[in-house]
């Protein structure tokens, strides 16, 4: 399947060069990007087929073929609207993310102060506490792994988790 896509991209590039002549073709940054991606993919494929040891990371560069989809954004109006809407929403998302980090930091500091002596693996340092709070926030087995061992030392510690 990789060989088929590689061949299709190579044929498309050759047709694009032929149809657009050389000078107009080379004046577009997207065409240069296509040329580099297809040439890298072809070189990697040839080395693989010949059984030669490919350069480290050369095969990973084939993943740049996925970025060719972004060329559609400038051609399809509805995609432009979606991308612009996402970009306009980013400042609000960043503010919400900053607020979330601050709440996690406050509860992490409380967790270190309350639990560091008895639960070093979860609340021994601020960064371990942040990781633990992230696990609690995502719901990733936090009841069995974190809350139950902590609450065994006193049920009043359950208010810490409930308030979070």
């Amino acid at each position: 399947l990789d060989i088929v896509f590689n061949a299709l991209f190579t044929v498309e590039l050759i047709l694009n060069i032929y149809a657009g002549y050389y000078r107009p073709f080379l004046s577009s940054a997207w065409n240069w990007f296509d040329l580099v991606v297809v040439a890298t993919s072809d070189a990697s494929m040839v080395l693989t087929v010949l059984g030669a040891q490919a350069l480290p990371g050369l095969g990973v560069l084939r993943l740049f073929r996925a970025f060719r989809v972004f060329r559609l954004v400038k051609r399809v109006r509805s995609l432009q609207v979606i991308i612009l809407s996402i970009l306009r929403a980013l400042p609000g998302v960043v503010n919400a993310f900053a607020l979330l980090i601050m709440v996690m930091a406050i509860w992490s500091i409380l967790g270190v102060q309350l639990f560091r002596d008895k639960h070093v693996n979860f609340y021994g340092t601020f960064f371990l506490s942040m990781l633990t709070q992230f696990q609690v926030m995502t719901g990733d087995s936090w009841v069995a792994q974190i809350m139950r061992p902590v609450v065994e030392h006193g049920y009043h510690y359950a208010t810490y988790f409930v308030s979070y």
Side-chain angles (χ1 to χ4, degrees):
L1 189 61
D2 203 25
I3 294 172
V4 170
F5 279 114
N6 216 26
L8 287 173
F9 288 143
T10 303
V11 168
E12 178 200 13
L13 182 69
I14 291 169
L15 288 174
N16 198 0
I17 291 172
Y18 180 73
Y21 301 105
Y22 295 106
R23 180 164 280 164
F25 175 82
L26 295 176
S27 65
S28 170
W30 282 111
N31 290 338
W32 276 101
F33 177 74
D34 281 347
L35 184 67
V36 169
V37 167
V38 171
T40 304
S41 296
D42 287 344
S44 175
M45 191 66 63
V46 167
L47 288 173
T48 303
V49 169
L50 293 177
Q53 183 67 11
L55 296 173
L58 191 61
V60 175
L61 292 177
R62 280 188 263 171
L63 294 175
F64 281 116
R65 292 185 299 197
F67 290 118
R68 298 179 79 213
V69 173
F70 288 121
R71 292 188 331 183
L72 290 176
V73 172
K74 69 179 183 179
R75 293 185 181 147
V76 179
R77 176 78 178 132
S78 59
L79 284 177
Q80 288 177 355
V81 170
I82 291 170
I83 296 297
L84 287 175
S85 299
I86 290 171
L87 290 175
R88 287 185 187 131
L90 280 179
V93 171
V94 168
N95 290 337
F97 187 68
L99 182 64
L100 177 68
I101 294 296
M102 286 191 314
V103 169
M104 280 179 62
I106 291 168
W107 257 258
S108 295
I109 292 169
L110 284 171
V112 169
Q113 294 299 315
L114 292 172
F115 309 125
R116 77 171 149 214
D117 296 331
K118 296 179 182 172
H119 301 285
V120 178
N121 291 339
F122 298 132
Y123 294 101
T125 66
F126 174 74
F127 294 108
L128 281 174
S129 186
M130 283 289 281
L131 182 63
T132 302
Q133 292 308 110
F134 182 75
Q135 186 176 357
V136 169
M137 180 184 63
T138 60
D140 183 28
S141 302
W142 70 276
V143 173
Q145 292 181 356
I146 299 168
M147 186 178 160
R148 285 189 184 147
V150 172
V151 173
E152 285 176 358
H153 294 285
Y155 287 104
H156 58 284
Y157 288 132
T159 56
Y160 172 81
F161 294 103
V162 171
S163 65
Y164 183 63

